[in-house]
Amino acid sequence: MSADLMARVEDKFVTIDGLRTRYIVAGEGPAVLFLHGASLGSSADVFIRNLAPLARAGFRAIAYDQPGFGLSDVPTDLSPAYRRDSIWRFMDALGLKRAALVGHSQAGNPAVQLALKEPARYSHIVVLGTGSLLPPLDGAGDSEGAAQQRLERRMAAEEPTLEDTRKLLEANLFHHELITPEELALRHARSVGQNFAAFVARSKAAEDAPAKEPKTPMWQRLTELKVPLLLIFGREDRARAADRAKLLKEKHPELDLHIVDGCKHLVPWDAADEFIRLAVPFLKR
């Protein structure tokens, strides 16, 4: 991505639940709300290359920094439930009565949860690389995923260097040429300071949280959705995502599920063109 393109993205802010919340937007038309994951450095910026093409297709494409990420304020409640509910609170703040949700990584699960609870509010759900929405698979472990987990655990103990940020991006991207100096600097800026402190606090809160009663895995509930669902996974993603996605398709052949070659976990970057090719006709349905 060029520095010129990044410079044209205008930061907007709205106050939600007392928190200053940053978002970026492009286009006019039916609203499509992009939801980033929870990894260190995650923010609305992961979708910069996706907003303009979707806007050209006739949509109002919006991405926001969830509470405790990017340029948004850090909440006192660090729970995943609070982050999930920030989605509809953000929609209320912008006056969006209905929107399509595009959830990347950990955001795919709460997007499905919201659509199951209140289907009239969400027109479509697009899931990008959400491993928790895939069935488990017996067999060998994922050495690459384990190496990334070790790096993330170390980063939770010590603020990452620029080289740490590069390594984490390389672990999540198939196309390393997409890591331009501008992209790397932006991702690193979203990984230090307030964002690093919030990441450490979220990690500790998750470790200290009491064990929950077992529930039906969310992947088993996908066919209960009353809204259209599109799932996209990278063939080279960690934790054998492609094999598990194939298994999910075998169990539920009615699902609109796609596995993209040359794509790891950062689907919005690695598969930006494929995302538009699949998402535009899906969202226009």
Side-chain angles (χ1 to χ4, degrees):
M1 182 186 307
S2 69
D4 180 58
L5 175 59
M6 293 171 67
R8 291 202 301 269
V9 176
E10 180 185 355
D11 291 337
K12 297 179 180 292
F13 292 88
V14 64
T15 299
I16 305 169
D17 201 21
L19 302 174
R20 191 168 184 257
T21 302
R22 175 249 188 177
Y23 67 100
I24 51 179
V25 60
E28 297 293 337
V32 180
L33 181 56
F34 286 80
L35 312 169
H36 62 74
S39 296
L40 181 60
S42 294
S43 70
D45 304 290
V46 75
F47 301 113
I48 288 177
R49 57 178 36 82
N50 311 122
L51 300 188
L54 205 59
R56 288 193 292 270
F59 296 95
R60 184 184 181 194
I62 310 165
Y64 80 108
D65 291 347
Q66 295 166 35
F69 291 84
L71 300 180
S72 290
D73 287 344
V74 180
T76 55
D77 187 343
L78 299 170
S79 67
Y82 185 86
R83 201 158 63 244
R84 176 199 63 209
D85 290 342
S86 77
I87 297 169
W88 59 260
R89 290 190 179 104
F90 177 80
M91 290 174 60
D92 286 350
L94 264 61
L96 301 176
K97 297 185 182 300
R98 198 163 185 252
L101 300 182
V102 180
H104 172 241
S105 190
Q106 288 190 29
N109 205 306
V112 170
Q113 291 178 38
L114 290 176
L116 284 169
K117 182 178 180 180
E118 198 174 0
R121 184 119 205 230
Y122 309 100
S123 63
H124 304 74
I125 302 295
V126 181
V127 169
L128 306 177
T130 302
S132 62
L133 292 176
L134 294 174
L137 195 67
D138 294 333
D142 175 34
S143 58
E144 185 176 0
Q148 179 173 328
Q149 288 176 2
R150 287 194 296 271
L151 175 60
E152 290 178 338
R153 281 196 297 270
R154 185 175 71 78
M155 289 169 71
E158 182 180 349
E159 191 168 81
T161 64
L162 188 66
E163 187 58 27
D164 289 333
T165 301
R166 177 188 294 278
K167 287 178 180 178
L168 196 54
L169 278 176
E170 289 177 345
N172 284 285
L173 269 173
F174 183 85
H175 295 284
H176 290 181
E177 69 275 10
L178 296 176
I179 308 174
T180 64
E182 296 84 8
E183 290 275 18
L184 178 60
L186 180 61
R187 185 78 176 192
H188 187 62
R190 303 291 191 251
S191 303
V192 297
Q194 170 185 287
N195 290 292
F196 176 71
F199 174 74
V200 172
R202 281 193 304 272
S203 299
K204 185 176 188 308
E207 290 177 1
D208 295 343
K212 295 181 179 179
E213 291 293 325
K215 294 183 178 179
T216 301
M218 195 57 64
W219 68 266
Q220 293 184 11
R221 301 193 60 196
L222 293 177
T223 55
E224 297 176 23
L225 279 169
K226 302 266 192 291
V227 303
L229 172 67
L230 171 66
L231 302 108
I232 305 174
F233 292 89
R235 189 172 299 282
E236 288 77 24
D237 200 355
R238 59 180 181 258
R240 301 182 65 186
D243 292 336
R244 293 162 62 208
K246 182 180 178 182
L247 177 61
L248 179 63
K249 183 69 173 177
E250 290 172 355
K251 290 177 178 291
H252 298 290
E254 69 274 23
L255 289 176
D256 188 359
L257 187 154
H258 301 262
I259 302 173
V260 181
D261 292 333
C263 178
K264 280 190 172 183
H265 192 60
L266 275 170
V267 179
W269 289 21
D270 269 332
D273 292 341
E274 188 69 358
F275 165 74
I276 292 298
R277 186 187 74 79
L278 293 169
V280 168
F282 169 77
L283 293 168
K284 288 187 173 182
R285 247 181 249 165

